[in-house]
Structures are given as structure tokens and as C-alpha cells.
Amino acid sequence: MSLKPKEMNFNDTWRDLQSTVQGVITLSNVSRCVWQDRFADVYQLCVAYPESLADKLYMETKIFLDNHVQGLLEDLLSMSHENIIQNYYECWRRYNEGIIYLHELYSYLNNQHIRKNKLSEAELIYGNHPNDDVEPMEIGELGLDIWKKNMIEPLRTSLVSAILECINLDRMNKGCFVNPEIVRGVIESFVSVNKFKKRNTIELYKKLLEEPLVAASSEYFRTQANNWFSNYTIPQYMERVIKLFEEESVRCQRFLHSSSHSIMKQCCEKCMVEDYLDVLNEEAISIISEERQQDMANMYILLRSVPKNLIKYMNGFKDHISSEGSLRLNEIKGDNMCMSFVEIIISIYRKYKTMIDNIFQSDKTFTSALDKACISIVNGTPNNKSYKSSELLAKYCDQILKKSSKGLSECEIDERLSDAIIIFKYLDDKDMFQKFYSRMLAKRLIHQNSQSMDAEESMIDKLKTTCGYEFTNKLHRMFTDMKISEDLTEKFNSQYLAENKVSLSLNFHVHILQAGSWPLGQNNVNSFTIPQEFTQSMQAFEKFYNSQYNGRRLTWMYHLSQGELKLCYLSKVHLITMQTFQMAILLLFENTTTLICSDIVNTLQLNWEQFLKNCITLVECKILISSTKELEKDTVLTLNEKYYNKRTRLRITASLQKEAPMETTQTVASVEEDRKLFIQASIVRIMKSRKLLKHIALVQEIISQCTTFTPSVPMIKKCIETLIEKQYMERARNSRDEYSYIA
Amino acid sequence: VSKRHFHQFFGNKVANAEEKQMKRTLPLETKLDYLFDKYKDAEDEHFILADGVERLCSDLNLRPDDFKVLILAWKFNADQMYQFSRQEFLNGCKVLDAENISQINSRLSECVAELKNDPSQFKNLYKFTFKFGLDRAGGQRILPIDMAICLWKLVFTLNKPPILDRWLTFLQSDKTHIRGVPRDTWNMFLNFTETIGNDLSTYNDAEAWPSIFDDFVEYENDRLNQNVVSSDAERQNSINEKCKTDSGVI
């Protein structure tokens, strides 16, 4: 066969071609060689000499297909109307397949003549193109277009109503007489006929089917909702709606084009949820307060569709948690308040966290509702603010970390500390917690009362991760001090004493605590005449320390130190750990068995309160015997030479290490003071860099800079006033709401 | 007492005769020096002190707590209450364009008229009043509350803001322990009265008001809600009494 263009007899060639086309379009048997000959014919017609017969071929083919589809329609109409879906589908399936082959047969015409003459995409978009009808189409598109005009158009009404009927039957669960595959095929044909188009391929589908379907479905949903509402309780209603949601979703998958899924879903939600919002909202409140979990989950699924409304539901949930929290917290009392405080909050937190995971599918908005509720539980309402939580939480940590706490394993301790951190994150007054915590930590360290150093450090690391380095800075330095002290004492005992050939009458261990890092306060240091027995050791150490660090001043904190005293005058030797002041008192009995209180006070230069505090313990544990019930200035104290305790080693310091209530108010006051200074400092910093700033902007920036506490606006205002008074800043001249920095 | 009466009775006539003569012959500086010398303190010739101020007031036919006395101090730019230095007196008279008592008197009346119509002048006077009330020799930076209350009543003689009485009641309330008024609060109060008028509901505590105004508005709202009127009215009366006695000293 030659590819050379030649003169062609159109009518003869078309006759042959036409019969093949007929065969292809009806999916009859067309042999390979015939196919190839006709394929060549198409080529030859297109390149025919002296002029191309392509246009003529195109026209003839169009007329042929027109007639063919016309004929198919007539056949269809003559068949039973009841089976229109099946018949149409069968027809369409064959035609559609045939058209694909025909498209192949005409590939030369498609590629060389039609596609070349087609407008480019750019021309299509930017206009200036002639009417669509005039535009020649590729054979495949032509075939589908003819189908659309000659088949779908005339049948549209009956087809669509048949489809709607099918879907409706499926809904009613009466079983569809037509195979869903076929219905879907028919529906798909509405999309497929436009598959060659570059734009708006689903427009026909939307207009033809989706619109009436949505209208019909809305009607159905409404009736159904109305029906259920009057016959069932709301929980039952919700169950039915959710089931319907699921079924509709499956139905969409089964029948419809994917673009319709979300539209059908919205339609469902509109008719079954949005129209009943008021009633549902009301029910939601009682569902939450009764914690009916299944209903809560169902309600969530229903309301999720309306984000605005989900917020209402979420707030109801939040309020429920807060009120449960404050109710249970109000009930706690007794000694172990800090324990129940933490346990209650943690149990609430866990309970609702699980609920969110299981019921609300870990929805983020609900998680944040839980957070907000916990914040209000922990901190109280703004009108009823207390610093109690910070203290309770710090005490809880103290209890866990202290020695003698009911034998918890490392693992358990860590778990409880993590619980504390959960609450800590919700705490507004983190600085207050820090103050309390550092005081208690100081006591644990100084009195060597810590359960485990590892646990202590892990807690501080946890705080650091939550709140940053600044927050734990001082706590860290306290640890470092302990470490350094260890080394120093070691060096002093092993090196210094040996080198200088000094031998001390008593062993001792020194903690060197940096004044700035420890919450101890210099004003607690009282006058005290050191017993002779101590002086040698102390002087030696001072000398040693000055040789190590020149120019540092040491202050001895007697009230914090303790020692072990060996009582040899008793029938059994006892080793008793006690406060330094107590030691000093007992040492006075070295050469006598009775002393008068006022003499002791004079000799030791102790103030009366200190003396009383320390001496009462000695009397209470019967080492000393008092002549009067209460200790007075003229009370005579006698050494109890018959003192006996089962244990050889004991400590009597515990009662002195308790936090007095005075210290709590002091702590609160000092934190308030720190806050004011912090706010003032940040105001000055902000104003210095901004020079001119609006009041509201300044307040917001201050709040954002306060990470460890939430400053109250009145406090900020007072700080601003103070700084205006001190002339760090002034009100801007022309604007009442602005401040400017005074350099 | 009789000597004083005599002075008051005849002194004016004598003074008038003197003044007439001075007007004709002497240079202004000298005339004013004369006038100053009339009131200067017996022990310190550079100052008119409390006693002299009292005499000056009575020659001007004014009570010491009259609004015009405040204007006089303002025009003289007096540094301290109860006293004028020679410099202040001389410059002040020049500013007033007055060279004798009757001229001062008429100029003061003109000032009152001007103040009524010129808010910026009033603002100036208002700011001056704070400085005037401070005992700066004693290192005061904050106006003691009693003084502040009296000065507020005085400075608003012409145009009393509707909120003033309630404000003063608030300052004296047992619940608020306000001891003094800083300059910023004093200055802002004028803005406050202008902004708020008589309607506290327009107050916005998110703006840059000193926190004491927040407290005041809250206090007022609480009070209105509780509807306790009688006890406050009583308190208001006692304040008025107190103020009369206090301001008599000026």
C-alpha cells in the first residue's frame, strides 16, 4: 500500500467505510485486515489528490451517526417504558464502547485535520473564538455530542425520574429492582458525554440529576426528621440520624459522582440537625451534665457539621468540668490537703482526657476546652483568686520528694511529679509556685531531707522544659552550691587540716550557700554566742575559706544548722541529731544539772522566741525537765539523767523545720513585690525601644512578657503611674491614650 | 484690734491719696515696690507671708479662700501658698497690668470673665493649682488628700463638673484609703471630667486612665446598685463642713 496521495473516488470508498463504521459502532465482528484497509482509506481520503476529502468524510460520518442514534432512540421508545434504565444503559454501554473504537479508526482524521484546526487552550480562554457548533470535533467527541442531543435530551425527564425512583426505593430499603451498577452507569453517562470538553464537564450532570435529587432528598429528610422527632426521644433520634448519615454516605458512593458527596451531606445536615438546633442544644446540656457517653458521642457527630454550634456544645462541656472541679475542691480539708488537691485535679483531667479521646475523637477544640476548664479549676475564677494552689502544689512536690514519704519507688515518684507538672502548666502564678518550691527545696537540701537527688533533679528538669532556663536558674544554683560544698568540706578535712597540722575537736560539714540564690533572708540571723566547743573548727574553716576565695564574706546561719550530740551521761549512750541552738543549750549542762532559763538566754545571747522554740522540743522529748508547765524566764531546767529511748540514734529536729503560716504571707508579699519590679522593668524596656506607645499596646506587650504569672491590669496601671511619677515616662502631649519615654 | 480697724477704715483713704500721687509722678517699678512694702513681712523684707497675704486679701475685699485669690496666685506665678516673693509680686503686677489695689481688683474680675470663655487658660490654672498646693519646701511630691479636696472645690468654682461631688465623696470614703493625689492623677482628672460629663457608663477602663478612676467608677456603680443614699448624703455634708474650716486657713 502506498502512502502517496492519489485521486480518490469518495462515494465508493465511503460505501465500504460506512459498512465498517456500522460494524464498529454496533460492536459486530470486524476482521483485522478490513480494519486496516479502512484505516488506510481514512488516510487516503484525508490526503486525497487534488484536494482533501476530509471535510466531506467528516460530514458524511456525522450524518451517519446522527441517523444511527436516531434509530437507537426509536428502538428504545418502542420498548417497555418500565425498563427504560436497563435498556438505556445497555444501549449506552455498547454505543460508548463503539465510539471509542470508531475514534481509533478515524485517528488520522482526528490528529491531522481536526486537532490541527482546533483552537488552542489559550484561544479558548481568552475568547475571540467562533461559536462552539461550528467547531469541528474529533470523532469520539462528535459521537458523544450526537448522543447527548439525540438521546439524552429527548429522554431526560423519564430517565431522571426513573433514577430518582431507584434511589428512593433504595432509601426505603425496599430493594432496588435495578442493579445499582446500572443506575450508576446511567448517571455516569451524563458525565461521560462531556469527557472531551475542557471545561464544565459535570455541568450537565449537575443540572440534569443533582438539582432534582437534592430537592427530592431534602423533602425526604425533612419528612423523616419530623417523623422521628415526634415519635422518638432525642437520643433515639440521634441514633437514627447517624445511621441515616452513614447510609446516605454509602448511597452517595454507590450511585453518585464524587462531586455530589459533600452537597448531599450538607443537605442531610441542614434538614436533620440545623433545623432542630434549639432542641438539640437544650438536650446537649442535660446529656453533658449526666455524662451519658454514647449520647455525648452522637451529639458530637451531629453538631460537628455546624462549627458555630459545636462551640456552644464545647462550652457546655467546659463549664461542666469546671463546676465538677470546683465542687470537689471545695470539699477537701484536713492535713493532707495538698495530696487531695493534686489527686482530684489529676483524676478530673484524666477522666475528661479519656472522654475526649473516645467520644470526641480527640477533637482539638475539646482539648482546649479541657485546658480552659482546668485553668479555671486550678486558679479559681478571676473574682475569687487565691494563691492557695501554688502553695498546695509546691507542698505536694515537697511531700513526694521528702524522705519518709510512704516508700514510693523511683518510678512512682516520677509519675507523681509528672502529674504535678500537668497542674503546673495550668497554674497562672508560676512565680508564686517557684517561691514556695524554692523555700521547700532549700529546706530539703539543708536538712538533708531529700528522698533522692535524682528525683529532685528530674523535677527541676521538668520545670525547665515547661518554663525555661530563667525559671529554674536559682534552683539549679542551689544544687551547684551543694555539690561545691561537698568538695570544699572534703578538701578542708583531708587537705587543709593535714597540711596545717590542725586537729579539730569535732568533725563538721559545711554548706556554702550563695546569698542571692537561696530564699533564706539575712534578717533571720540572730545574735548568738557560739559555744567554746565550736569556735576552733569554725575559725579554722573561715581561714581555709578565705585562702580559697579572697574577699568573700561568710555569715553563719546557726538557726539552720544541726549537729549530732553524744549523750554519755545516760545508762545507754544516745546519739541525738539536733539544732545548733539545742546543742548549745545542752552543752551548758556540762558541769551542772540545773539551770534557770533566763541564765541560759543571757549566756547564749539568744532571743527569747528562738530559745523557746528550741527548748520546748528538748523538754517535750524529756531530755530536760522543766519546773513549770510553760517555760518562763525563771523556770528551772534540770537534766534528765534517766532519759531513755529504745533507739540509740534519733533526731529531734523535725518540728522546727515546718513552714510557719507567717512565712506564707511573707512569701505572697515578696512575690507581689517582685512582680511590680518585673512589670516596671519591662515597661521601661518596652518604652525605651518604642519611644511612643499606645496604652493598650503597652498593656498587651507587658502581658505577653509575663510568662510566669498573669498580671492584673490594675497592677500594670499602678506601675505605669509609678513610672510617670518617677519621670521615666510621660503622657504624650497630643494624645491622651499614648505614653512617651523620657530619656 | 482697734488699731487694725483704724487701719482698715482710714488706711484706704490714705492709700488712695498716695496712689493717686504715685500714678502721676513715680516710675512703675517704684510704685510697685511701694505697694509690695505695704504688705511685706516684718522680719523678711523679700516676702509677703501669711499675715501680709491676709491683709492684701482684706484690702482686695476678698476672703482668703476666694477663687480670685487663687487667680491672683496663678497670675503672680506664686511658688508657695501663703506667700509672695518680691519678684513674683512685681512681675505679677506687670503681667496683670496693675499698679494698685483697685486695678488688681478689677483685673481679677476680668480674669474671671476670661477664664469662663477660655478652656486653655483654665487648664493652665488647673495645672498650676496642683503645684501651688504642694508644700515643696517640705519635699512634697504628692498632694495630701485634704488639700487636694479643698483645691478641687476651689479651682472648679466657676464651672463645677457634675461628677465632682461624687468624686470627692469617693475620696473620703472609708473603703478607699487614699492618702494623696499625684500630679498625673490631678491633671488627668480634668480630662476625666471633660470626657465623662455626668455619665459614668461612657467610661472605658481599657483606656489609659489612672487606676484610681477605675476604682471610682466601680465604687459608684456598686453604690448605685445598692442604692444607699442617705449615709452618703450625710458624709457629703460633713465634707462640706470640713472643707470650710480647712480652706479658711488659706
Side-chain angles (χ1 to χ4, degrees), chain B residues 35 39 48 52-53 56-58 60 62 64 66-79 83-84 88-89 91-93 95-96 98 100-101 103-105 107-109 111-112 115 125 128 132:
Chain B
L35 194 57
Y39 302 105
I48 299 174
V53 172
L56 179 62
C57 289
S58 93
L60 286 165
L62 296 172
D66 195 288
F67 181 51
K68 283 183 185 163
V69 179
L70 179 65
I71 298 180
L72 184 70
W74 169 50
K75 285 292 175 188
F76 281 12
N77 198 13
D79 195 49
Q83 71 171 40
F84 298 112
E88 284 167 1
F89 190 87
N91 287 341
C93 286
V95 169
L96 274 179
N100 55 45
I101 290 297
Q103 278 182 359
I104 290 177
N105 224 338
R107 294 291 294 129
L108 284 179
S109 301
C111 285
V112 170
L115 276 171
L125 167 69
F128 165 83
F132 180 62

Side-chain angles (χ1 to χ4, degrees), chain A residues 107-120:
Chain A
S107 2
Y108 189 82
L109 179 80
N110 288 341
N111 290 337
Q112 296 305 314
H113 281 263
I114 298 172
R115 212 172 287 169
K116 253 186 203 165
N117 294 331
K118 256 199 170 166
L119 297 167
S120 72

Side-chain angles (χ1 to χ4, degrees), chain A residues 202-462:
Chain A
I202 57 168
E203 201 176 23
L204 179 72
Y205 161 78
K206 280 204 173 301
K207 248 182 99 172
L208 215 55
L209 185 75
E210 195 182 89
E211 279 174 22
L213 176 64
V214 167
S217 305
S218 298
E219 188 54 40
Y220 169 76
F221 294 146
R222 263 193 211 110
T223 332
Q224 199 67 306
N226 200 0
N227 197 4
W228 288 342
F229 231 96
S230 35
N231 292 327
Y232 299 107
T233 64
I234 292 177
Q236 286 168 330
Y237 174 80
M238 292 196 296
E239 276 168 24
R240 282 177 170 70
V241 170
I242 287 167
K243 189 150 166 271
L244 181 128
F245 278 5
E246 282 160 8
E247 286 169 358
E248 279 302 316
S249 160
V250 173
R251 194 161 291 126
C252 282
Q253 303 277 358
R254 195 167 342 138
F255 292 115
L256 302 181
H257 185 254
S258 57
S259 68
S260 296
H261 295 181
S262 64
I263 291 166
M264 284 301 285
K265 191 163 165 272
Q266 277 169 21
C267 168
C268 244
E269 289 163 351
K270 168 88 183 64
C271 301
M272 315 209 84
V273 179
E274 252 173 273
D275 291 351
Y276 293 91
L277 266 187
D278 293 342
V279 196
L280 290 175
N281 274 334
E282 211 171 288
E283 178 75 6
I285 295 170
S286 59
I287 287 179
I288 291 175
S289 66
E290 289 159 33
E291 291 181 16
R292 284 155 23 205
Q293 306 221 358
Q294 185 54 49
D295 293 345
M296 281 167 94
N298 288 348
M299 187 62 89
Y300 170 73
I301 294 170
L302 255 59
L303 294 179
R304 189 171 45 176
S305 53
V306 195
K308 198 171 69 219
N309 196 59
L310 196 59
I311 288 171
K312 257 190 182 166
Y313 187 43
M314 181 198 81
N315 281 333
F317 180 65
K318 184 184 82 187
D319 295 343
H320 173 67
I321 303 174
S322 318
S323 65
E324 178 181 340
S326 48
L327 206 72
R328 287 179 61 186
L329 282 187
N330 274 337
E331 282 167 6
I332 58 168
K333 43 179 157 301
D335 292 340
N336 230 351
M337 266 176 67
C338 60
M339 281 303 195
S340 9
F341 172 78
V342 170
E343 276 158 16
I344 286 173
I345 294 176
I346 286 298
S347 79
I348 290 174
Y349 173 80
R350 294 248 156 82
K351 173 175 149 195
Y352 289 103
K353 185 103 181 65
T354 332
M355 215 179 258
I356 289 169
D357 288 345
N358 295 338
I359 293 177
F360 301 128
Q361 307 173 9
S362 307
D363 191 316
K364 278 207 185 79
T365 52
F366 279 80
T367 313
S368 82
L370 174 62
D371 287 344
K372 278 184 195 146
C374 288
I375 287 173
S376 83
I377 295 173
V378 172
N379 299 297
T381 53
N383 300 328
N384 183 19
K385 224 168 148 41
S386 75
Y387 294 127
K388 206 87 199 135
S389 302
S390 327
E391 192 184 353
L392 287 174
L393 189 61
K395 270 194 184 150
Y396 173 84
C397 297
D398 190 48
Q399 295 241 326
I400 300 295
L401 290 167
K402 231 198 284 194
K403 248 182 218 168
S404 83
S405 71
K406 321 119 203 161
L408 296 170
S409 71
E410 286 276 319
C411 196
E412 281 169 318
I413 291 178
D414 197 65
E415 220 168 81
R416 309 233 165 151
L417 293 179
S418 300
D419 288 352
I421 289 290
I422 291 176
I423 297 177
F424 173 72
K425 282 182 187 158
Y426 292 128
L427 199 63
D428 275 346
D429 308 305
K430 295 191 169 59
D431 54 346
M432 193 70 74
F433 170 83
Q434 184 200 34
K435 269 266 155 52
F436 282 116
Y437 188 87
S438 68
R439 272 167 184 272
M440 293 173 195
L441 173 64
K443 286 202 171 151
R444 288 198 299 274
L445 291 178
I446 292 171
H447 301 308
Q448 296 173 342
N449 220 350
S450 267
Q451 171 96 325
S452 122
M453 274 313 184
D454 288 346
E456 291 280 4
E457 285 201 55
S458 102
M459 182 63 188
I460 287 175
D461 279 343
K462 284 185 172 117

Side-chain angles (χ1 to χ4, degrees), chain B residues 46-61:
Chain B
H46 295 296
F47 285 97
I48 299 174
L49 295 182
D51 175 56
V53 172
E54 210 172 310
R55 279 188 285 122
L56 179 62
C57 289
S58 93
D59 288 352
L60 286 165
N61 250 329

Side-chain angles (χ1 to χ4, degrees), chain A residues 32 37 290 370 509 541 588 693 696:
Chain A
R32 175 172 279 270
D37 283 351
E290 289 159 33
L370 174 62
H509 188 104
F541 185 81
L588 294 180
L693 197 61
I696 294 180

Side-chain angles (χ1 to χ4, degrees), chain A residues 631-679:
Chain A
L631 286 180
E632 305 288 345
K633 298 237 161 154
D634 52 3
T635 302
V636 179
L637 293 170
T638 315
L639 199 61
N640 179 9
E641 295 186 59
K642 293 185 183 118
Y643 176 79
Y644 181 79
N645 194 310
K646 285 189 293 212
R647 296 164 62 187
T648 320
R649 255 172 202 281
L650 61 149
R651 51 194 309 144
I652 57 170
T653 53
S655 66
L656 289 168
Q657 292 163 8
K658 274 204 182 130
E659 179 108 353
M662 244 300 271
E663 286 180 65
T664 307
T665 42
Q666 265 178 6
T667 309
V668 171
S670 86
V671 167
E672 291 277 346
E673 203 46 45
D674 286 355
R675 285 180 180 185
K676 272 184 201 152
L677 292 178
F678 180 88
I679 294 176

